[in-house]
Amino acid sequence: MFKYIVKRLFLIPPMLMGISLIALLAMHLTPGDPASMRYGLNPEVSGSARAHLKELYGLDKPVIVQYGGWLKRIVTLDFGDSFIDDRPVIEKIKERLPATLILQISALILIFSIALPIGVMSAVKQNSFFDKATTFLVFVGFATPTFWLALLLMRFFGFQLEWLPISGMSPWYAQDYSLPHRILDLLWHLILPLFTLAFTGLAGISRYTRYSMLEVIRQDYIRTARAKGLKENKIIYHHALKNALLPVITILGLTLPALIGGSFIFETIFAWPGMGRLMYTAILQYDYPVVMGVGIISVFLTLTGILISDILYAVVDPRIRYE
Amino acid sequence: MNKKKRDWRKRYAFVGLSVIIVMFAAAIFAGFITAYSPNETNLAPEAKLQPPSREHLLGTDDLGRDVFSRMVYGARISLSVGFVAVIISVVIGVVLGAISGYYGGWVDILIMRVVEIVMCFPRIFLILMFLAFLGPSIITVMVIIGVTGWTGLARLVRAEFLSLKERDYVQAARALGASDFRIIFRHILPNALSPVYVSAILGVGGAILIESALSFLGLGVQIPMASWGNILTSGMHYIESAWWLMLFPGLAILITVLSYNILGEALRDLLDPRLKGYGQK
């Protein structure tokens, strides 16, 4: 087990090298010719920001030097200072990270607590009305522009019914609230962004659970359990479910990039003060160090998530030895 | 899959394809089916933000422009972005996947590591990093969505090549002295194409969703050029009053993406005998 984790960790340095290369490539798209700036919202601002960036990251030095410097920055998480308020980028990200993590982690919990039962149910009652209805919903779910869903929910629950707050995390007066009150207030503001973010992962995970469950149900040991005369409930929830959940753990790792990407859109729509929103304002203000910083941190979050799901998989499945 | 199921799959594929064709036809003949220019503004108070009526089928927006016209012209943008982006992804994915699977060895290891690294970037953040430097425009959006979407395809094509390159007909072609290039593109690739079609069609839906999200946030297609995403932006500004600005572009995106997905899934079942009865076991 320990050996496997160490082995897995050794894969990270080459990953970092590749990631820094791609990031460097992005920065080299800052060309000097005016034609490419034509599309910038304000060519003058974007032009001077580009020059500033060149200086900060030494983009006029030989490529090898640039690469070394950039790799060092990534490893030490030093992305320079923001062009807008001259504060270190990493400070700004640290401020925003908790809000993003709250949203992400609660979305993950919500996705799994809804998607798993749905997947299991539709596999057990295959071809039933329930199965067909969820299959249909999954199809629609995959095709729904989630930012549009966010708008619809905002209009219905926020404006029409006035049940839920439509944006922000905590209003200024929340400072005076007691702790339980503050937590309630946080949850209150969390409902809409959380629901829309969870929606992005729901369709995939429930589909996958169903698929994996269908595979397991046809195995010999399930037939054996049935032949022994075990109750159906015991067979499904004790014998089948455990095995069906194993592959779902890997899907967790694969869903993360989409989920973290989704945070960009929903944090912007709901004015949720997280990393995604920071990225949005940074792009509009040509705050390139922040753009690069948030981009790299989003990769780190994904990498961590994939690592955790890989290790989890090795822990729960004794058949996997990874020699 | 029995005949009855196959017939149903064919019906689904037909429905999906028909909707897509209608959408394309509307986009191409936009000038004939719309009564107003998409950018014709009318700032008179009685012309702005009008609900759907006989004159303006889908109402008017905050500048008095006809929403139906903007939607039809916007279809040009959304449909072509999806199409072009996926072609870019397919070309990159097929070439890299084919090289990786055919040659194996260190070339394979190198390409697959690159795929893994690119997959670690949440796609939208990768797109944003590039977009921040290049500036938003329809061309950039197409290209960036294309060059960030090839990883799954490369893996798929590689897996196909790994099994196909051992076949007898490949040995035969090699014995006849065919070049690697010829073996890859003339002999193996045609046999590896059906999963590529399926995942390309499914990819168009994904590309349209990304483009609309970017345009919605003002980072994609720039106003005054209409796209479904940026019509929704004004829908958000008038979220309380003008429901038609918000409802119709979203529905258009939903229906288009759904049609692509239905077509793709149905084709997967019809084209790929190994996935017989996929999801229906």
Side-chain angles (χ1 to χ4, degrees):
Chain A
M1 188 65 247
F2 178 71
K3 225 170 134 189
Y4 170 65
I5 296 176
V6 171
K7 227 174 171 175
R8 209 51 200 70
L9 288 175
F10 266 112
L11 284 176
I12 290 182
M15 281 292 208
L16 285 183
M17 287 169 72
I19 288 160
S20 52
L21 205 63
I22 292 179
L24 194 65
L25 182 74
M27 283 196 287
H28 269 273
L29 296 173
T30 52
D33 63 312
S36 58
M37 291 180 200
R38 191 173 52 208
Y39 301 111
L41 297 173
N42 182 342
E44 216 163 283
V45 175
S46 90
S48 76
R50 279 164 217 260
H52 201 148
L53 182 80
K54 242 178 199 165
E55 194 189 304
L56 174 67
Y57 290 143
L59 294 184
D60 38 7
K61 297 200 181 95
V63 176
I64 278 290
V65 178
Q66 284 176 35
Y67 182 65
W70 194 198
L71 198 58
K72 195 177 145 212
R73 279 181 183 278
I74 288 184
V75 173
T76 56
L77 294 180
D78 166 24
F79 302 104
D81 295 339
S82 158
F83 289 169
I84 301 301
D85 53 13
D86 290 321
R87 291 178 47 218
V89 171
I90 194 68
E91 291 280 305
K92 294 186 79 153
I93 294 177
K94 266 189 204 154
E95 260 171 37
R96 299 298 194 95
L97 202 55
T100 296
L101 289 180
I102 289 176
L103 192 57
Q104 292 293 336
I105 292 170
S106 30
L108 267 180
I109 296 172
L110 189 67
I111 289 174
F112 275 84
S113 49
I114 297 177
L116 293 187
I118 290 180
V120 172
M121 279 286 282
S122 44
V124 172
K125 305 207 161 134
Q126 197 195 347
N127 291 332
S128 65
F129 173 75
F130 180 79
D131 184 29
K132 288 193 171 136
T134 48
T135 305
F136 174 75
L137 282 181
V138 162
F139 248 90
V140 176
F142 271 130
T144 307
T146 35
F147 59 94
W148 179 59
L149 180 74
L151 290 185
L152 292 180
L153 292 175
M154 239 165 144
R155 180 176 158 100
F156 191 67
F157 291 105
F159 290 109
Q160 215 119 336
L161 297 175
E162 296 184 4
W163 281 359
L164 294 168
I166 49 147
S167 74
M169 193 156 129
S170 264
W172 55 272
Y173 52 80
Q175 303 277 334
D176 309 331
Y177 289 179
S178 60
L179 188 64
H181 195 158
R182 260 203 231 178
I183 292 175
L184 274 180
D185 192 68
L186 176 72
L187 290 175
W188 193 235
H189 282 84
L190 194 62
I191 296 176
L192 278 185
L194 176 60
F195 183 83
T196 36
L197 183 58
F199 190 84
T200 42
L202 213 52
I205 304 253
S206 64
R207 199 79 202 137
Y208 200 78
T209 313
R210 174 182 182 273
Y211 192 65
S212 163
M213 195 73 183
L214 283 177
E215 294 263 289
V216 170
I217 284 180
R218 287 178 305 141
Q219 299 292 321
D220 286 342
Y221 57 82
I222 297 297
R223 192 176 305 145
T224 312
R226 245 183 219 133
K228 276 200 306 191
L230 283 184
K231 285 212 174 88
E232 194 61 24
N233 270 344
K234 177 126 179 142
I235 297 172
I236 299 299
Y237 294 103
H238 198 81
H239 293 240
L241 186 58
K242 267 197 219 161
N243 289 293
L245 286 187
L246 290 177
V248 176
I249 294 175
T250 22
I251 289 296
L252 165 76
L254 293 175
T255 319
L256 271 174
L259 216 55
I260 292 172
S263 74
F264 169 75
I265 294 165
F266 301 125
E267 286 179 5
T268 307
I269 295 178
F270 289 111
W272 186 260
M275 255 175 45
R277 195 173 153 73
L278 182 64
M279 180 80 157
Y280 181 68
T281 35
I283 292 177
L284 293 185
Q285 296 171 327
Y286 303 99
D287 197 349
Y288 292 128
V290 174
V291 172
M292 297 312 287
V294 177
I296 299 291
I297 295 291
S298 76
V299 180
F300 283 172
L301 284 183
T302 318
L303 270 177
T304 319
I306 294 174
L307 187 68
I308 291 174
S309 77
D310 276 1
I311 291 173
L312 215 61
Y313 194 70
V315 170
V316 292
D317 193 344
R319 285 170 300 187
I320 294 172
R321 279 287 164 262
Y322 297 99
E323 283 315 321
Chain B
M1 209 187 319
N2 57 34
K3 182 163 184 311
K4 202 179 147 205
K5 272 183 188 158
R6 283 190 73 85
D7 284 345
W8 270 107
R9 290 294 178 283
K10 282 179 192 159
R11 262 170 244 170
Y12 287 139
F14 179 75
V15 171
L17 190 62
S18 315
V19 176
I20 294 167
I21 290 174
V22 169
M23 291 271 184
F24 266 94
I28 292 168
F29 300 110
F32 295 99
I33 58 170
T34 54
Y36 304 88
S37 145
N39 294 325
E40 186 186 302
T41 57
N42 185 349
L43 292 174
E46 69 276 5
K48 288 198 304 188
L49 290 171
Q50 290 304 303
S53 62
R54 197 167 291 175
E55 268 153 63
H56 297 279
L57 276 179
L58 303 182
T60 61
D61 69 0
D62 48 326
L63 297 176
R65 295 173 295 194
D66 181 50
V67 175
F68 179 70
S69 303
R70 287 187 74 70
M71 294 262 306
V72 174
Y73 280 91
R76 287 187 171 175
I77 306 295
S78 297
L79 294 175
S80 51
V81 168
F83 201 72
V84 175
V86 165
I87 287 179
I88 296 173
S89 302
V90 167
V91 170
I92 303 177
V94 165
V95 169
L96 289 183
I99 292 174
S100 191
Y102 184 76
Y103 290 104
W106 65 268
V107 183
D108 182 34
I109 293 173
L110 185 75
I111 293 178
M112 284 303 114
R113 283 300 94 80
V114 173
V115 168
E116 275 163 33
I117 289 164
V118 175
M119 280 179 131
C120 278
F121 281 88
R123 190 170 175 199
I124 196 100
F125 278 93
L126 186 58
I127 290 173
L128 291 171
M129 277 165 80
F130 281 89
L131 212 57
F133 291 102
L134 287 167
S137 83
I138 175 166
I139 305 287
T140 346
V141 168
M142 280 180 188
V143 174
I144 295 177
I145 294 177
V147 297
T148 54
W150 54 273
T151 49
L153 265 158
R155 282 189 160 186
L156 196 74
V157 173
R158 172 180 176 268
E160 289 288 314
F161 266 68
L162 280 181
S163 74
L164 290 174
K165 73 174 178 186
E166 307 295 342
R167 296 285 174 88
D168 288 341
Y169 66 84
V170 177
Q171 296 294 328
R174 200 170 287 138
L176 287 171
S179 64
D180 282 353
F181 185 85
R182 195 179 162 82
I183 294 176
I184 291 176
F185 290 101
R186 291 298 297 268
H187 295 280
I188 305 183
L189 191 58
N191 291 298
L193 277 184
S194 44
V196 172
Y197 289 141
V198 171
S199 98
I201 291 170
L202 294 174
V204 175
I208 292 176
L209 283 178
I210 294 178
E211 180 272 327
S212 61
L214 290 174
S215 301
F216 170 69
L217 294 171
L219 303 172
V221 176
Q222 297 294 296
I223 40 176
M225 198 188 266
S227 95
W228 292 340
N230 67 29
I231 302 173
L232 267 168
T233 315
S234 45
M236 178 155 132
H237 293 146
Y238 297 93
I239 187 168
E240 275 183 280
S241 48
W243 55 269
W244 55 94
L245 273 180
M246 193 172 82
L247 186 66
F248 298 122
L251 273 182
I253 300 168
L254 175 65
I255 291 170
T256 311
V257 177
L258 194 61
S259 308
Y260 273 109
N261 289 358
I262 287 174
L263 177 65
E265 295 276 342
L267 276 187
R268 186 211 314 267
D269 293 349
L270 290 171
L271 287 178
D272 202 340
R274 280 164 308 171
L275 292 170
K276 241 179 211 169
Y278 164 82
Q280 293 290 333
K281 277 169 199 158

